[in-house]
Amino acid sequence: QVQLVESGGDLVQPGGSLRLSCAASGSIFSTYSMGWYRQAPGKQRDLVARILSTGRTEYADSVKGRFTISRDNAKNTVYLQMNSLKPEDTAVYYCRYSYYTASSWGQGTQVTVSS
């Protein structure tokens, strides 16, 4: 079972930036698809960004141009750089890995955007 540990969540003012990190266990991290999802209170968990083993990236329309997902295979870590944050970005952010039919979630990290 792959273990995922997120970090980097914080309280930030509108217009600010944060970088989330997700460290994964396992020796074949480079073959995983990695994704960031978020869930606001009372809402469903939605995809924010995903990066495939090939390096191809996908983003939700709401974050395009503001967020960037990247990975460091040498460190078994995926990042989410979040710029120009808005109050509607407030949510718990979760990391997820997938590899064929296997997948698991991290415990989540809280991002709050408020003045």
Side-chain angles (χ1 to χ4, degrees):
Q1 181 78 352
V2 173
Q3 304 296 318
L4 302 170
V5 179
E6 301 103 330
S7 61
D10 206 345
L11 169 64
V12 62
Q13 292 187 345
S17 298
L18 280 177
R19 188 176 81 156
L20 306 183
S21 299
C22 173
S25 64
S27 60
I28 56 172
F29 174 81
S30 63
T31 66
Y32 301 156
S33 292
M34 300 298 299
W36 284 100
Y37 293 72
R38 66 186 181 188
Q39 187 168 20
K43 295 189 176 182
Q44 67 181 20
R45 190 174 299 185
D46 292 325
L47 175 69
V48 175
R50 176 162 49 210
I51 184 166
L52 307 183
S53 59
T54 59
R56 177 178 173 178
T57 57
E58 303 171 8
Y59 295 92
D61 288 342
S62 60
V63 307
K64 283 181 181 177
R66 300 189 298 124
F67 290 11
T68 302
I69 189 170
S70 62
R71 65 192 300 161
D72 185 338
N73 292 332
K75 295 182 178 180
N76 278 22
T77 301
V78 62
Y79 304 98
L80 185 68
Q81 178 66 44
M82 305 187 294
N83 299 329
S84 302
L85 282 161
K86 305 175 181 180
E88 51 264 43
D89 295 318
T90 295
V92 178
Y93 283 70
Y94 297 91
C95 177
R96 179 177 184 263
Y97 100 101
S98 60
Y99 181 70
Y100 291 99
T101 59
S103 66
S104 67
W105 296 90
Q107 82 287 352
T109 186
Q110 176 70 48
V111 172
T112 303
V113 184
S114 175
S115 55

